[in-house]
Amino acid sequence: CGGSISDSSGVLQSPNYPGSYPNDADCVWEIQVENNFRVTLTFRDIAMQSGTCQHDYIEVYDGPLHSSPLLGRFCSGSFPTYVSSSNMMSVRFHSDSRNSFRGFQAHYSSIPAGHNTTIQCLPDYMHVVVSRDYLQSQGYSAERVTLSDSRCRPTVTSQEVVFNIPYNGCGTVQEENNDTINYSNTIRIASSGYIIKRKKDINLHVSCKMLRKSWQQVMYAAEDTVDVNEYQFGRYDMNITFYDSPAFLRQVRSSPYYIDLNQNLYLQACLRNSDPNLKVVVDTCVASPDPRDFNTLPYYLVRNGCPRDSSYATYYSPSSHFARFKFNAFEFMSRHPSVYLKCQMLVCRLGDFSSRCYRGCSARAKRDISSAEEKVDVVVGPLQLREGGAPSGSTR
């Protein structure tokens, strides 16, 4: 139960609904809709153990589970509706080892945020758009919208003022605390009066915060001058590519990738992000004949940083944004026409030796992850055996 959901609308329900849910369940759904939309969640049915909600309960969070405000915790009563302040909401269902009931069903959908200023945290920069109609309606000129670093100018169109603010430039400040890695800047909107000023200048503070599992985008205006309060969530941009040799010079661009049994396979994971103070490592890689199911017939190459296949090995990488590794094609492939890999990558702060990126093999649970780390899943494949493939003793 649980998982990541990106559809614009859908239904959530407890396991086995409308039958009795299982004991000792702990399900977390992360609902993430489009940027500059919000999530609205309405419960249609709730049948659980009532009382103090200490045994079986539902929790709704205004964003990621471990770093967002709790909107509500309940187990019975009326059917509530919740609206997120961002494009992300988390729902947790928990049951203990005692009684079991019908559970719950809820419907979610996305609604426009309705602001005249939008923000997106892209891999290399913050993309901020301010409506000119909105500025003019408040008595401000588009020509007086600037960053603190005056060398970084916006693009002004007939309808918008557009800023592309890099994470490493234009006065962007980086800050690290217990929960986030924060990239922030300030857009200044000056009033048009020179001698007599009847309006306050606006400081529009824009930031992208890296949380445990997502990028959080934050926007707010100082001194309550403009009512803008925007949060958005996104994901790291990560890909994994096959190479034809340990020199990692030529990518394998064919798909499917036809190989021989026991052939050496070389892979490189790449994080596309402009912050040089990030490090990426391979945490878990599992193979499966089905790209949608890595649980029924899993074959682990590495798990929680611990190699499970004797041929798995890592290589030195010239950049902390790359992670290079290899393994041999295995007998698992001789029983299935195609094989897919799902690799979970860890992104951490460079030089944070307390993070999982530096601790290597760990037998701890998956959720043991520091506040300055993020896990990213990437699926690659298919791999297929070449017609008349070489015997298992050959190498390449």
Side-chain angles (χ1 to χ4, degrees):
C1 61
S4 297
I5 301 172
S6 58
D7 296 334
S8 60
S9 63
V11 175
L12 301 184
Q13 57 191 28
S14 51
N16 302 329
Y17 181 89
S20 297
Y21 52 76
N23 292 326
D24 299 315
D26 197 50
C27 314
V28 177
W29 293 268
E30 286 189 342
I31 307 169
Q32 181 179 335
V33 297
E34 292 184 43
N35 283 335
N36 302 304
F37 278 72
R38 296 181 180 181
V39 182
T40 177
L41 178 73
T42 301
F43 285 84
R44 296 173 170 174
D45 185 23
I46 303 172
M48 302 170 62
Q49 185 174 358
S50 59
T52 60
C53 299
Q54 295 298 312
H55 305 292
D56 300 351
Y57 55 83
I58 305 165
E59 293 178 331
V60 180
Y61 290 85
D62 192 14
L65 177 69
H66 298 291
S67 54
S68 302
L70 177 66
L71 295 178
R73 177 174 177 166
F74 52 93
C75 57
S76 61
S78 59
F79 300 160
T81 295
Y82 296 97
V83 179
S84 66
S85 62
S86 70
N87 66 327
M88 191 172 186
M89 176 185 285
S90 295
V91 180
R92 180 190 182 197
F93 168 72
H94 175 83
S95 67
D96 66 3
S97 58
R98 302 183 184 180
N99 301 321
S100 182
F101 298 85
R102 186 170 68 247
F104 78 91
Q105 186 182 74
H107 178 268
Y108 78 89
S109 59
S110 60
I111 57 174
H115 289 321
N116 294 286
T117 305
T118 61
I119 178 174
Q120 290 179 285
C121 287
L122 301 176
D124 297 316
Y125 55 87
M126 293 177 269
H127 181 74
V128 184
V129 178
V130 184
S131 164
R132 289 194 66 174
D133 288 343
Y134 175 69
L135 290 173
Q136 292 168 3
S137 70
Q138 300 298 312
Y140 294 92
S141 168
E143 307 303 324
R144 299 183 64 81
V145 181
T146 63
L147 286 177
S148 300
D149 187 340
S150 58
R151 294 171 296 178
C152 300
R153 302 292 301 171
T155 299
V156 180
T157 69
S158 60
Q159 297 181 325
E160 301 170 333
V161 180
V162 181
F163 283 94
N164 291 325
I165 308 172
Y167 297 127
N168 279 349
C170 292
T172 298
V173 177
Q174 301 180 23
E175 180 185 15
E176 187 172 353
N177 58 38
N178 291 334
D179 298 318
T180 62
I181 302 167
N182 189 13
Y183 304 90
S184 59
N185 210 313
T186 302
I187 297 174
R188 305 189 185 281
I189 306 175
S191 63
S192 56
Y194 290 95
I195 300 175
I196 299 176
K197 298 180 68 172
R198 300 188 183 277
K199 286 183 174 291
K200 296 179 180 179
D201 293 343
I202 299 174
N203 290 330
L204 190 63
H205 302 281
V206 183
S207 67
C208 289
K209 295 182 178 180
M210 190 181 80
L211 304 175
R212 291 182 178 182
K213 294 185 179 180
S214 62
W215 283 90
Q216 179 189 21
Q217 304 165 52
V218 182
M219 183 188 304
Y220 64 93
E223 299 180 336
D224 297 327
T225 310
V226 179
D227 184 18
V228 178
N229 192 346
E230 189 79 20
Y231 300 83
Q232 302 297 320
F233 292 85
R235 302 289 181 185
Y236 272 121
D237 188 356
M238 182 91 68
N239 63 46
I240 295 180
T241 308
F242 286 100
Y243 282 78
D244 66 354
S245 77
F248 292 93
L249 295 177
R250 288 183 299 183
Q251 295 184 13
V252 176
R253 301 187 181 278
S254 59
S255 182
Y257 181 16
Y258 291 97
I259 58 176
D260 300 320
L261 282 180
N262 210 36
Q263 175 180 331
N264 285 329
L265 303 179
Y266 306 95
L267 299 93
Q268 175 176 276
C270 176
L271 170 67
R272 183 171 175 262
N273 190 276
S274 62
D275 182 2
N277 297 311
L278 296 176
K279 178 179 176 64
V280 60
V281 300
V282 183
D283 182 72
T284 299
C285 266
V286 58
S288 169
D290 186 344
R292 298 170 300 277
D293 180 4
F294 287 87
N295 297 313
T296 304
L297 290 173
Y299 181 84
Y300 283 93
L301 301 168
V302 56
R303 191 171 190 179
N304 296 329
C306 305
R308 294 293 186 90
D309 184 279
S310 60
S311 68
Y312 177 84
T314 59
Y315 286 87
Y316 166 79
S317 173
S319 167
S320 63
H321 282 203
F322 295 156
R324 292 175 170 177
F325 57 103
K326 57 86 67 172
F327 64 93
N328 292 356
F330 36 87
E331 288 292 343
F332 181 85
M333 293 196 62
S334 65
R335 303 192 300 272
H336 304 281
S338 299
V339 170
Y340 296 82
L341 296 179
K342 180 178 181 180
C343 294
Q344 188 172 70
M345 313 302 298
L346 277 178
V347 182
C348 314
R349 294 299 292 172
L350 187 64
D352 179 7
F353 295 100
S354 66
S355 70
R356 280 279 293 107
C357 289
Y358 290 89
R359 297 207 306 260
C361 177
S362 173
R364 296 189 179 186
K366 286 186 177 181
R367 64 181 62 186
D368 175 27
I369 183 169
S370 84
S371 58
E373 301 168 21
E374 178 182 351
K375 289 188 176 182
V376 182
D377 290 339
V378 183
V379 177
V380 291
L383 299 171
Q384 293 187 0
L385 283 179
R386 185 179 287 113
E387 292 283 341
S392 59
S394 68
T395 60
R396 173 174 294 189

